[in-house]
Amino acid sequence: MKSTFALIALGAALPTAAIAQTSVTIAETAPVVTLNVTENVEAAPDMATVGTGVQTRAQTAAQAMRDNAVQMDKLIAALVKAGIPKKDIQTSGINLSAQYDYSNRDGQPSGPRFIGYEASNQLSVKLRDIKKVGTLLDTMVEAGATNVNGPSFSISDPAPMLAQARAAALKSAKTQADFYAQAAGYRSARLVSIAESNSGGNPPMPMMVSARFKADAAPATPVEPGQVGSSVTLTVQYALDK
């Protein structure tokens, strides 16, 4: 929990409005303490997101893309067979680029040497059974994936965690405001405003896992989900009353 505060005394009544207006706004006349309070709640994740894909090379751009499409179809089919619904499989990027060899070789002309085209197709896959993440990583590699990154763990519904963090932040703010009121010689602290920002159910940064498939009956790639946090920051103002 982090907090900062500023103690200010607001002025008396605001001036009346211009001609043809009849409303008058009365400003707070008591001293006001402003607090920024952050609370974080952690829990075990129930979802993981993994990036995976296929890279292929060929002498022509068309052949590189055709080869890539064949391998990607195999990868997607393996994911669906493993129980991943199509709605949780999303293309995140397709790229095609010429490849050059920039190394200098004796007897070879100087300058880059064209070696072909590289095609890549990347997927973002949501895994909703945390216990099977390691096995699914191996399934991806076995099906032809040439790269795997992640997993990034999260909470599918962070609302309960945010509610808990929100309640803790407000309780902490009230405790601090009461302390300042008593320390400054006031009877009580009265809440006058609340503003909130939050981040729910995500880790600070994803854990990177390199998955390698072995032909023998090796155990699944070990994955430890740990915990993820939801945080709420409240900016609250309390008027100090005599």
Side-chain angles (χ1 to χ4, degrees):
M1 183 273 293
K2 301 177 181 177
S3 66
T4 60
F5 78 96
L7 187 62
I8 60 174
L10 298 183
L14 295 177
T16 54
I19 297 175
Q21 294 182 342
T22 58
S23 62
V24 177
T25 301
I26 304 299
E28 186 63 60
T29 58
V32 172
V33 59
T34 300
L35 298 166
N36 293 311
V37 181
T38 300
E39 290 288 346
N40 185 69
V41 175
E42 293 187 345
D46 61 3
M47 185 172 68
T49 302
V50 174
T52 187
V54 173
Q55 291 177 315
T56 54
R57 286 186 177 182
Q59 285 299 303
T60 67
Q63 188 62 49
M65 290 295 286
R66 282 194 294 267
D67 292 346
N68 193 276
V70 171
Q71 294 299 318
M72 182 55 70
D73 283 343
K74 292 180 180 178
L75 177 56
I76 293 174
L79 292 173
V80 173
K81 184 178 180 180
I84 308 299
K86 276 291 191 71
K87 68 182 180 65
D88 289 338
I89 303 173
Q90 184 178 52
T91 298
S92 59
I94 297 175
N95 185 65
L96 175 68
S97 60
Q99 302 295 301
Y100 296 89
D101 182 0
Y102 292 91
S103 60
N104 294 323
R105 299 182 180 181
D106 295 338
Q108 297 292 330
S110 60
R113 181 174 62 89
F114 175 75
I115 58 175
Y117 288 91
E118 181 179 89
S120 67
N121 192 330
Q122 304 299 313
L123 297 175
S124 177
V125 184
K126 292 180 180 179
L127 309 178
R128 300 182 186 274
D129 189 342
I130 295 295
K131 295 180 180 179
K132 295 182 179 180
V133 172
T135 300
L136 287 168
L137 292 175
D138 293 334
T139 298
M140 293 174 187
V141 178
E142 184 179 2
T146 56
N147 58 78
V148 175
N149 60 82
S152 175
F153 294 103
S154 60
I155 299 287
S156 58
D157 181 16
M161 293 174 64
L162 289 173
Q164 187 177 347
R166 188 177 294 117
L170 191 58
K171 181 179 179 181
S172 178
K174 176 59 175 171
T175 299
Q176 293 184 57
D178 287 340
F179 170 82
Y180 292 128
Q182 294 175 12
Y186 288 83
R187 177 176 53 83
S188 63
R190 173 171 47 85
L191 182 64
V192 294
S193 71
I194 304 176
E196 177 188 314
S197 61
N198 64 67
S199 61
N202 294 293
M205 59 193 316
M207 178 179 72
M208 307 307 292
V209 172
S210 176
R212 294 180 175 86
F213 173 74
K214 296 181 179 180
D216 57 358
T221 297
V223 175
E224 294 295 335
Q227 293 203 322
V228 296
S230 292
S231 64
V232 168
T233 297
L234 298 182
T235 299
V236 294
Q237 290 188 317
Y238 285 87
L240 306 185
D241 292 330
K242 288 289 189 180

